[in-house]
Amino acid sequence: MTTFAGAAPRRWTWAGYLAAGFVVIAAYYVTVISSAPQLLRVALYCAVSVSAFVAVFYGCVRNRPAAKLPWVLLGLGQIVYATADTSFYVAHYILDDLAFPALADVFYLGHYPLVVAGLIVLIRSRTPGWDLPAVLDAAMLAVVGGMLSWLYLIAPQATGTAPMLVKVASVGYPMMDLAMFAVALRLVLGQGRRPVAFSLLSLSLLSFVVADTVYVVQQVNGTYSAGNFLDAIWLSGNLLLGASALHPTMGKVAEPVPFGAPVPGPWRIGALCTAVLIAPATVLIENARGAHSGIPVVACACAVLFLLTIARLAGLVSQQRKLAITDALTGLRTRRHFEAQMVPELARARRAGGSVAVLIADVDHFKSVNDRYGHPVGDEVLIEIGKRLREAIRPGDHLARYGGEEFAILIRDAGPDDPAVIAERLRQQVADRPIVVSGDVWIGATISVGTASYPLHGDTPGELFGAADRALYSAKAQGRDRVVLADLSGHPPVDQHAVRSLTLDLEKVADEVDGWLSNHEHSKVVGYWSGLVATGMGLAPEVAGRVELAGRLHDIGKVLVPQEVWTKEKPLTDEEWLLVRQHPEFGCRLAKTVAGLDDVAEIIRQHHERFDGTGYPGGLAGAHIRIEARILAVCDSWAAMLAERPYQKALTEDGAVRELLSGRGTQFDPDVVATFLTLHRHRRLGPLPLLDPAGKAPAGRA
């Protein structure tokens, strides 16, 4: 990397400018308290004001921001402000002219519209959308500020006995300050990066608002005099504006940012709560003072604050709902939302005698993208593919991110040829042009698509997903980058011998995984216990058989995660934990390769969901989790707690009982725990068996 000799000094120009400016401010106050010439005092003060607009325009030339207009407007505003300072202090100190209003007040008031316009342009550059939460929060704070300004600054000036020009000027300052305050609030509370230049600019605006407000209060009280502490605040505001333009991050202040509408933090909530409480507190203060004339204004402010608060709460509810059904990476709907949409769509199709199609698209060779370019590039690829798929679907159809690199599409009112036509359009939309990740990195991406439709391939969501998934596997097996439709012959007879053979193969996979993880049996005994619990809960025999098989196969997805992850004794990295948390999805996919195991596959996928909704992979809660998966979760945990692990000592049975009891209602279904512990007390479960030593592999992570 080439280093230029002047780069470091230029990087710290802003700090040098601030240091020199504060020295000038100190020198100015020396002239105030001494008998120094008045001309020197004026020169020092005005030098700071003038330096600020010079710094702004120099910063525009040096830092070359993409959005120059807001800085140009701020710079022009500072020119007008510096002219006002020069006029005021020359008249005050040299000409001994204390008239109010004067020519300086015209310039002071005239700089506000330029500053407000610059801030508005800056806001629009940063957040092109409305950013309604920031607008509402800023409005609430501005309403409180406006109420206080009216009661204690504007009304006393407007109702006084002063001449009309004095009233106009006196009212103009708090009105203009209020406008700048409201826009500044919107800027500060909005979304986007907050580089150092942004913070310096925000502090500059705060300085001006505070100083102007105190100035008007002193004018009302008749206590203002030039050269008091307010000059230091005004001059500091000038310096901060210049420093913000000189800082190297000045060009980033106006950069557009995606709107994410994050949940407000404690400081923001505290500020809003305080603001809302100020209005009723003001009513009590005004009533105690006997100043009842201001109470109507406060009542109107309370009403506006109430409406803004309701709007903000409604926005938060809408935001939370959207976050719950939106994939954070791609902005598409989540798998959970997609599956929920399947139920009413199938019901509507049954009533109308219509059809619904499901498409599952998988990005080909996506692991190689992550391995070669890294996960950030992989994320960019997924985001772009999501955009392309969104552009290719029909209005009214549903698109979701179904898994890691999988997408699902629900097609309403699907005609006989629609699934194939739409799937091919999706495939072409992705494959037609490479994905540009950066200037020199172009990645060619393709997808494989499997399709199934109601009523040809099933009557339930599980049957349709299973058929589409098998079609997707067929597309992968045929070479990828293609569309495969599920068998249109309806529901072909299942070869039970083939099913049993494939199931036995999966059971061997489960046994192999057990050997990685512990010297105790796991899958076999979990399946056995699960069947006992289902029977003990009075569930139908077919349910007990289903959960027993799911327990037998629940860990098969672990075989797709590198063995060294499971046998690692040190804490896992974030990337390794991500892999671990995917094993229920992997197991589900493996089980679905066997005809007739769609329900078993779904149980496997849900066996790490928690009763309180904090589990994975879908964040399901309560009755939304299949009863079989809730049973399996308890039996799986019991077996894991009793087994010796490299990173965890085995618990005693009493210790495991305490863990189950403490997890009731959070991790586990309380009814399942009650049945399981009843079986345990009656010694129906038996001990956790050891693996056959001849087949044992190294112990590892469960």
Side-chain angles (χ1 to χ4, degrees), residues 76 123 151 153-154 170 179 211 289 449 501:
L76 292 174
I123 291 167
L151 290 175
L153 301 179
I154 299 175
S170 299
R289 293 175 56 213
V449 187
S501 176

Side-chain angles (χ1 to χ4, degrees), residues 673-698:
V673 171
T675 301
F676 186 92
L677 293 181
T678 298
L679 292 171
H680 170 64
R681 284 195 302 272
H682 290 90
R683 302 187 181 279
R684 295 282 307 281
L685 301 176
L688 184 66
L690 290 170
L691 281 173
D692 180 1
K696 181 183 178 299

Side-chain angles (χ1 to χ4, degrees), residues 522-606:
H522 188 78
S523 297
K524 288 180 182 178
V525 72
V526 167
Y528 171 68
W529 289 340
S530 297
L532 283 180
V533 173
T535 302
M537 295 181 70
L539 300 177
E542 56 268 25
V543 176
R546 192 160 53 231
V547 71
E548 184 169 352
L549 181 55
R552 183 71 176 90
L553 303 178
H554 73 282
D555 271 348
I556 56 175
K558 291 181 177 179
V559 77
L560 298 180
V561 178
Q563 183 177 352
E564 56 267 23
V565 173
W566 301 112
T567 57
K568 184 177 180 180
E569 296 188 19
K570 296 181 180 179
L572 299 182
T573 65
D574 290 343
E575 186 173 323
E576 288 168 339
W577 269 119
L578 181 62
L579 278 173
V580 166
R581 289 167 68 91
Q582 287 181 296
H583 82 269
E585 293 276 11
F586 295 154
C588 174
R589 296 293 299 274
L590 288 172
K592 281 189 175 181
T593 60
V594 180
L597 294 192
D598 290 344
D599 285 333
V600 170
E602 186 59 25
I603 297 168
I604 293 172
R605 189 173 77 86
Q606 295 183 15

Side-chain angles (χ1 to χ4, degrees), residues 120 307 367 510 523 573 628:
I120 291 174
L307 294 175
K367 186 176 184 299
S523 297
T573 65
E628 301 100 325

Side-chain angles (χ1 to χ4, degrees), residues 261-287:
V263 176
W267 287 106
R268 190 158 177 165
I269 293 174
L272 294 174
C273 289
T274 302
V276 170
L277 292 174
I278 285 175
T282 304
V283 172
L284 297 176
I285 293 172
E286 290 296 287
N287 184 67

Side-chain angles (χ1 to χ4, degrees), residues 12 21 30 42 101 116 126 170 181 302 317 342 357 370 395 401 437 446 467 472 580-581 604 638 661 668 673:
W12 293 103
V30 170
V42 173
V116 170
R126 285 171 61 84
S170 299
F181 176 65
C302 287
V317 171
M342 280 289 295
N370 280 335
R401 185 182 179 195
V437 177
T446 61
L472 173 62
V580 166
R581 289 167 68 91
I604 293 172
W638 180 265
L661 291 174
F668 307 118
V673 171

